Amino acid sequence: MEPRPPEQGDEPHKHLHVRLTDARAAVYEFITEYLQVAGKAPDWYWRTVGRLEGQEVDNMEELLASAFEAGAYTAHDHPETLRFQWVTEKECEKERRAEEKAEGHEDPRQRDRMAMSHYA
């Protein structure tokens, strides 16, 4: 499935949100699966991500490329796990407020999954 932007008639500008369809799934699992299939070291990747504070510019390109490739891998090999949604800024802000409001009541993995899917 190739997401296409909606026609821009009189509608406000929209941007793409990519969400996992299963609330129990985590984007981390799909990235790890991709890294393993691609013969890359998930441990190195996650350790580098964990300590990345803007100081490791040399690793940033590889990290971003791997994350992008993992997204393409997931879309190709697990298309049923993804939902594409075109939203306006107003809809996006409403969704963010709802997520913030529910933060205290959710599993931390769920919050991380939601946050990461917004930027996917």
Side-chain angles (χ1 to χ4, degrees):
M1 171 196 288
E2 183 178 320
R4 298 187 192 278
E7 295 297 322
Q8 291 293 325
D10 293 331
E11 288 188 40
H13 177 73
K14 292 187 174 190
H15 63 274
L16 181 63
H17 281 197
V18 178
R19 301 286 191 210
L20 297 175
T21 56
D22 183 355
R24 296 171 308 236
V27 71
Y28 306 109
E29 294 165 2
F30 292 108
I31 292 173
T32 299
E33 179 182 332
Y34 159 74
L35 292 167
Q36 291 169 333
V37 169
K40 298 183 180 189
D43 291 343
W44 171 86
Y45 183 87
W46 291 119
R47 277 194 312 273
T48 303
V49 169
R51 64 177 192 265
L52 189 62
E53 296 177 9
Q55 305 298 332
E56 299 195 33
V57 177
D58 295 340
N59 292 326
M60 181 65 81
E61 186 174 344
E62 186 172 350
L63 292 172
L64 291 173
S66 292
F68 181 81
E69 290 168 358
Y73 168 83
T74 302
H76 184 267
D77 286 14
H78 301 285
E80 72 285 355
T81 65
L82 298 176
R83 176 174 46 97
F84 300 96
Q85 181 180 11
W86 289 95
V87 297
T88 63
E89 285 299 323
K90 186 175 183 178
E91 293 165 332
C92 183
E93 188 59 35
K94 182 178 178 182
E95 188 174 316
R96 276 193 205 127
R97 282 194 302 271
E99 288 172 9
E100 288 171 1
K101 191 175 192 179
E103 273 185 6
H105 303 90
E106 288 183 21
D107 175 6
R109 268 180 43 160
Q110 176 74 4
R111 283 196 314 268
D112 290 344
R113 183 185 68 80
M114 296 285 286
M116 289 188 73
S117 67
H118 176 77
Y119 297 104

